Amino acid sequence: MINTASEMQAALRTAKFAGVILYEGPSMIDGSPIVVIANRITARSKNEKTGAMVQTFIIRSDIDPVTALKSCDDASVCGDCPHRPANNGTCYVRVFQSVASTFKAYKRNRYARPGVDYDVKLTADLFRGLAFRMGSYGDPAAAPFMVWRRATVNAAVINGYTHQWRQVEFQAFRLLCMASADSVADMNDAHELGWRTFRVRAANEPVAAKREVVCPASNEAGNRTSCADCKACGGLSAKAKVSMVIIAHGATAKRFATAA
């Protein structure tokens, strides 16, 4: 078992492991078995909006993610998110690509397991100084808060969003995540509960003056920066105090505009 962060980082650089497992256990949403995986960070990112970040995937550990979508078992990792395909939503994640690939690698034992391959006490140092995205797929609230807190305590940038912000048991996530808001009413309700928000809007909807600003990594803001450099979407732990808003984007954006 690897006992030092430097040894673990070397193992990741040499591709001994494709990344690390942060959590295997029951979903905090419905109790079903899930796994949280942090993929090895690369120097460059194909996603110009996010930039180079540690990408994490929250998936069912017993069902491949494409099947989980079809059977609605993705609720274990996505909760009541209105953007789920089951809700005819606007989720832009291409599950059959990166998420499915991550699941297949997990089944091939390509990810280091805490307590087996590495000492869980190393987690805080594994991501020191890095930009860390909580839930590239899946809602962070599906996993215990302390799993995320331990992984991000030394991260340079935290990026996270949750649709579970109304639930009493998930209020601790205000520290690390933005409340995902799908309307001005959502935004106002989340603010009342002490959350900062990230709101998706239709192209013809206005920005709430003085309460939110357009995401600077968005097309409408001219892609002035990346998520890794912006550092604004880390909940109450971020220096930014204002909330963020973005026009619906990605392959399913037209459905959002129609629904609006």
Side-chain angles (χ1 to χ4, degrees):
M1 184 167 66
I2 296 173
N3 294 303
T4 69
S6 59
E7 289 177 339
M8 188 70 242
Q9 289 161 353
L12 292 172
R13 285 195 300 271
T14 59
K16 180 178 180 180
F17 296 112
V20 299
I21 292 172
L22 298 178
Y23 175 73
E24 280 182 293
S27 164
M28 298 295 102
I29 294 174
D30 70 0
S32 299
I34 66 168
V35 60
V36 179
I37 294 169
N39 274 333
R40 181 177 60 244
I41 194 169
T42 54
R44 291 187 176 183
S45 171
K46 294 181 181 179
N47 190 327
E48 294 181 358
K49 181 181 183 298
T50 65
M53 305 186 83
V54 175
Q55 304 289 339
T56 61
F57 294 83
I58 309 154
I59 54 180
R60 286 284 296 254
S61 58
D62 60 337
I63 307 172
D64 79 81
V66 175
T67 298
L69 283 185
K70 295 177 181 178
S71 64
C72 296
D73 288 308
D74 61 322
S76 303
V77 297
C78 294
D80 57 0
C81 176
H83 300 291
R84 286 174 58 214
N87 298 328
N88 195 32
T90 59
C91 182
Y92 57 82
V93 179
R94 296 181 177 181
V95 174
F96 65 93
Q97 292 182 338
S98 60
V99 186
S101 176
T102 297
F103 179 79
K104 290 176 182 177
Y106 165 68
K107 288 300 184 180
R108 296 197 307 271
N109 296 316
R110 292 285 291 118
Y111 295 102
R113 283 181 160 81
V116 177
D117 299 305
Y118 75 98
D119 189 332
V120 70
K121 294 178 182 178
L122 302 180
T123 307
D125 287 324
L126 286 180
F127 310 108
R128 183 182 294 275
L130 299 178
F132 190 101
R133 186 176 183 185
M134 296 171 57
S136 306
Y137 176 72
D139 193 302
F145 174 78
M146 288 309 300
V147 168
W148 298 111
R149 185 59 175 151
R150 184 167 57 238
T152 59
V153 67
N154 292 320
V157 180
I158 302 170
N159 188 256
Y161 312 89
T162 178
H163 268 98
Q164 311 309 309
W165 52 269
R166 292 184 188 275
Q167 309 303 320
V168 174
E169 63 267 34
F170 298 128
Q171 293 307 304
F173 281 87
R174 288 178 296 185
L175 180 67
L176 304 177
C177 294
M178 309 291 282
S180 292
D182 299 296
S183 65
V184 172
D186 275 357
M187 179 191 71
N188 290 334
D189 287 348
H191 286 176
E192 286 294 320
L193 291 173
W195 294 76
R196 292 178 60 229
T197 58
F198 190 97
R199 182 170 70 93
V200 179
R201 66 185 175 104
N204 60 350
E205 285 186 288
V207 175
K210 297 182 180 180
R211 305 201 72 182
E212 56 186 9
V213 298
V214 174
C215 168
S218 65
N219 289 335
E220 62 263 35
N223 306 114
R224 297 196 309 271
T225 187
S226 67
C227 297
D229 292 326
C230 175
K231 306 179 182 181
C233 284
L236 300 181
S237 68
K239 290 183 179 180
K241 302 306 176 187
V242 71
S243 291
M244 314 299 288
V245 65
I246 192 171
I247 292 174
H249 55 287
T252 57
K254 290 183 179 179
R255 288 215 297 270
F256 185 92
T258 301

